[in-house]
Amino acid sequence: MIKVEGLTKRYARTVAVDHISFEVNKGEIVGFLGRNGAGKTTTMRMLTCFLPPTEGSANVAGYDVLQQPMEVKKRIGYLPENPPLYPDMEVGEYLTFVGTIKGIPAAELAQRVEESARRCAIADVKTKLISKLSKGYRQRVGLAQAIIHNPDVLILDEPTSGLDPQQISETRELIASLAGDHTILLSTHILAEVEHTCTNIIIINQGHLVATGSVKDLMKRMRGAEAVVVDIQYEGLDAATARQRVEQIAGVSRVVVKDSEPGRVVLEVESLEGASIRAELARAVVHAGWNLEELRAAATSLEDVFLELTASEKNKAAAAITDAPPAAPEVIQ
């Protein structure tokens, strides 16, 4: 549904997006992640025909963004980070206006306005001026204008910005409910939102694609070696002694003290690639006369993956685990 090949955007001597390539299949919700200034918004503006690419190509809903921009615009819903709202219009009036310019037939327009207002939980403010709404309500009005014409593709840039926890939860549920019938590219800084909502993720850094794939697969490939957390308790035990003993186990590559207090030490132990250390670790703790309270796999969070991949010095290593080949407006649409 979205196919990007070698997409590049240059501004004078600045390269905002550098030969990125990826695909988003029909019905998927894909998280689009990167630090501030990584090129996310520039990429989204090219996909929505707001900006022309310098090089490369992008195909959205079967149409080329350069050759057939009007056909692309008919089939996408776009929510930029700052929603394209008219503050002097009432909410219902605004949605009717948006629906009209998006080509919704007159016979269906009122129903579409009601439906989008209901789904975005703004039916209670339809008669209010947009200028009188809170930031959270304005964000939801922006989402309503993006879905009012039932587009094939939704491109959402920080859709939960400014919402309270309850509104964030409701928006997540709404986005999840749109999957299947709609293809969604979602940019956000809330990584928990991505873990709960997205089937796959795309990560870019400094304009370069550094990883694509499911959250689970990226975590596996980032971790590579086995990592476990061991909780040891014994009267008089100190962190240095416990760490020194564990470091002597065959196959252990790294030991980090996660927590320490008198008589209790929690260690994160990482193995050499391909080595299994759980059995030896358990035996070493028992043979030392210590109490083994817990031995479990160390969890790798999406935040860990994101920080590792977007560190500048890690970019070359990150390219090796990327599924896609490396190097491959804020107006109402």
Side-chain angles (χ1 to χ4, degrees):
M1 189 58 71
I2 300 175
K3 186 174 182 179
V4 172
E5 294 183 347
L7 198 64
T8 301
K9 184 63 180 178
R10 295 191 186 94
Y11 299 99
R13 285 178 280 180
T14 300
V15 181
V17 177
D18 192 0
H19 294 90
I20 66 171
S21 300
F22 62 84
E23 290 189 36
V24 179
N25 296 320
K26 184 176 181 179
E28 287 185 336
I29 303 178
V30 175
F32 194 40
L33 308 180
R35 295 174 181 268
N36 289 334
K40 303 187 303 299
T41 296
T42 299
T43 301
M44 288 181 159
R45 287 176 174 175
M46 288 189 284
L47 293 178
T48 55
C49 309
F50 183 68
L51 289 175
T54 306
E55 293 180 31
S57 64
N59 188 287
V60 179
Y63 296 91
D64 186 274
V65 297
L66 272 178
Q67 303 300 323
Q68 302 159 299
M70 292 308 297
E71 295 300 325
V72 171
K73 291 180 180 183
K74 290 177 184 178
R75 291 162 177 82
I76 62 171
Y78 178 37
L79 175 63
E81 188 171 358
N82 297 308
L85 307 178
Y86 292 98
D88 56 341
M89 297 181 83
E90 294 180 356
V91 172
E93 180 187 13
Y94 168 74
L95 292 178
T96 300
F97 168 68
V98 171
T100 301
I101 65 174
K102 289 189 174 185
I104 297 175
E108 301 176 18
L109 185 55
Q111 180 183 349
R112 292 285 187 88
V113 170
E114 291 294 330
E115 177 66 11
S116 62
R118 181 189 63 78
R119 297 186 79 175
C120 296
I122 56 172
D124 58 330
V125 296
K126 276 180 60 184
T127 58
K128 288 190 176 182
L129 287 174
I130 292 173
S131 62
K132 302 297 183 182
L133 299 180
S134 67
K135 180 174 174 58
Y137 267 105
R138 291 186 188 189
Q139 197 72 11
R140 284 189 273 171
V141 173
L143 185 56
Q145 68 81 26
I147 69 172
I148 191 169
H149 58 307
N150 196 31
D152 295 326
V153 177
L154 278 171
I155 297 179
L156 309 177
D157 195 355
E158 300 290 343
T160 57
S161 175
L163 305 187
D164 62 38
Q166 179 62 35
Q167 293 167 344
I168 289 174
S169 178
E170 291 170 353
T171 303
R172 279 182 192 163
E173 291 178 6
L174 170 60
I175 293 171
S177 73
L178 296 172
D181 295 330
H182 306 267
T183 301
I184 302 173
L185 187 64
L186 167 67
S187 173
T188 180
H189 286 105
I190 305 174
L191 299 184
E193 189 173 295
V194 174
E195 289 191 81
H196 285 96
T197 308
C198 299
T199 51
N200 290 293
I201 58 176
I202 299 166
I203 302 177
I204 66 171
N205 189 46
Q206 298 180 350
H208 297 273
L209 182 73
V210 293
T212 65
S214 69
V215 175
K216 184 177 180 181
D217 287 346
L218 287 177
M219 287 179 179
K220 283 182 180 178
R221 285 179 281 170
M222 280 296 298
R223 177 63 76 177
E226 180 183 26
V228 296
V229 174
V230 57
D231 186 340
I232 306 167
Q233 296 186 24
Y234 187 72
E235 186 176 352
L237 180 65
D238 62 86
T241 301
R243 179 175 180 173
Q244 184 178 22
R245 176 68 185 89
V246 171
E247 284 177 336
Q248 295 171 0
I249 298 171
V252 169
S253 66
R254 188 171 70 105
V255 180
V256 177
V257 178
K258 304 295 288 185
D259 192 16
S260 177
E261 58 186 64
R264 178 173 180 263
V265 179
V266 179
L267 304 173
E268 182 173 314
V269 186
E270 189 168 318
S271 72
L272 297 170
E273 190 166 353
S276 180
I277 59 172
R278 293 196 189 199
E280 286 299 321
L281 181 56
R283 274 194 288 270
V285 171
V286 172
H287 287 169
W290 303 332
N291 298 318
L292 179 60
E293 294 296 319
E294 184 179 21
L295 181 63
R296 59 178 170 81
T300 302
S301 68
L302 181 56
E303 182 178 0
D304 295 331
V305 173
F306 177 79
L307 292 175
E308 180 77 7
L309 290 173
T310 56
S312 297
E313 64 272 21
K314 300 293 185 180
N315 285 355
K316 289 184 180 180
I321 66 165
T322 303
D323 286 341
E330 303 191 1
V331 295
I332 303 167
Q333 304 295 330

